[in-house]
């Protein structure tokens, strides 16, 4: 039986086919756009909470391992190079030795957190080489005033680049010892 489709019905069929095709294309585009927005996390999603790693106290410092980095009017400050580490939580941990002009020494195990411009005192060194843990278990804002600005000096000149750690422990030690970065030709 011959097809008896008129030219006007052919136009109608083609128009409907085009309309259906455009509709399907639009629906497909919206569906893909919806999927893309569903897999992209929202901007206001909370960041992971920072967690401090467990404390591991180092061996007592020896005079031959001390690296001087700052001298105030009343005392000088040094870091035990064997204790310097960058922990997995982003803190820089070290043994600090403060020596007064009269020769009295204070030894402490501490940390600096570049991200927040804070420092923490973990323990005090005893004369027998053991440690006494600090009773204060919180981070304190670093001070850049007065005679005791050793933490600011460590933060600004040796350990941090803005709010990030300047590098791994060997790089930080090189900075403390006055050696330049191999990347800048010093």
């Amino acid at each position: 039986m011959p097809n008896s489709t008129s030219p006007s019905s052919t136009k109608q069929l083609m128009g409907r086919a085009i309309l259906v095709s455009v509709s399907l294309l639009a629906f497909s585009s919206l569906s893909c756009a919806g999927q893309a927005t569903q897999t992209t996390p929202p901007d206001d999603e909370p960041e992971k909470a920072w967690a401090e790693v467990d404390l591991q106290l180092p061996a007592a410092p020896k005079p031959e391992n001390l690296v001087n980095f700052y001298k105030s009017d009343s005392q000088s400050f040094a870091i035990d190079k064997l204790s310097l580490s960058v922990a997995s939580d982003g803190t820089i941990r070290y043994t600090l030795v403060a020596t007064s002009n009269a020769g009295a020494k204070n030894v402490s195990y501490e940390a600096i957190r570049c991200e927040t411009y804070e420092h923490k005192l973990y323990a005090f060194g005893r004369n027998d080489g053991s440690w006494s843990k600090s009773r204060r278990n919180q981070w304190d804002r670093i001070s850049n005033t007065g005679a005791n600005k050793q933490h600011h000096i460590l933060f600004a000149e040796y350990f941090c680049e803005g709010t990030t750690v300047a590098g791994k422990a060997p790089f930080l030690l090189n900075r403390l010892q006055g050696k330049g970065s191999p990347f800048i030709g010093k």
Side-chain angles (χ1 to χ4, degrees), residues 14 26 43 69 93 98 106-107 109 117 120 122 143 152:
M14 286 182 67
D43 290 338
F69 69 91
R93 299 177 182 203
N106 286 317
V107 177
Y109 188 64
Y117 191 65
K120 185 174 185 178
Y122 290 115
S143 174
H152 173 75

Side-chain angles (χ1 to χ4, degrees), residues 15 29 95 101 108 111 116 130 141:
S29 297
T95 300
N101 290 344
S108 54
T116 58
S130 65
R141 189 96 174 131

Side-chain angles (χ1 to χ4, degrees), residues 11-85:
K11 285 182 183 180
Q12 286 178 340
L13 286 175
M14 286 182 67
R16 285 183 187 169
I18 290 172
L19 183 61
V20 168
S21 297
V22 169
S23 297
L24 285 174
L25 183 61
F27 178 76
S28 163
S29 297
L30 288 174
S31 174
C32 289
Q35 288 175 351
T37 57
Q38 289 174 1
T39 58
T40 306
D43 290 338
D44 58 351
E45 186 174 304
E47 292 184 23
K48 267 176 74 174
W50 178 77
E52 188 173 1
V53 298
D54 291 336
L55 174 63
Q56 293 182 356
L57 294 170
K62 294 180 181 175
E64 64 268 18
N65 295 325
L66 298 180
V67 178
N68 294 310
F69 69 91
Y70 173 65
K71 182 166 179 39
S72 70
D73 291 338
S74 59
Q75 50 189 336
S76 61
F77 298 91
I79 296 286
D80 173 20
K81 66 182 178 182
L82 299 181
S83 71
L84 182 61
S85 67

Side-chain angles (χ1 to χ4, degrees), residues 68-168:
N68 294 310
F69 69 91
Y70 173 65
K71 182 166 179 39
S72 70
D73 291 338
S74 59
Q75 50 189 336
S76 61
F77 298 91
I79 296 286
D80 173 20
K81 66 182 178 182
L82 299 181
S83 71
L84 182 61
S85 67
V86 178
S88 62
D89 62 6
T91 59
I92 302 155
R93 299 177 182 203
Y94 54 90
T95 300
L96 179 74
V97 178
T99 307
S100 74
N101 290 344
K105 289 189 189 298
N106 286 317
V107 177
S108 54
Y109 188 64
E110 306 181 353
I112 285 182
R113 190 168 174 219
C114 298
E115 185 177 357
T116 58
Y117 191 65
E118 294 175 311
H119 71 97
K120 185 174 185 178
L121 177 62
Y122 290 115
F124 298 98
R126 294 184 180 130
N127 289 336
D128 66 0
S130 65
W131 294 99
S132 172
K133 286 192 177 179
S134 174
R135 291 184 189 146
R136 185 174 169 81
N137 189 28
Q138 64 188 68
W139 290 87
D140 294 310
R141 189 96 174 131
I142 293 173
S143 174
N144 187 18
T145 59
N148 292 326
K149 54 184 171 183
Q150 66 274 14
H151 300 109
H152 173 75
I153 299 293
L154 287 171
F155 176 94
E157 295 184 23
Y158 300 107
F159 292 166
C160 306
E161 294 290 336
T163 58
T164 60
V165 177
K168 295 182 180 181

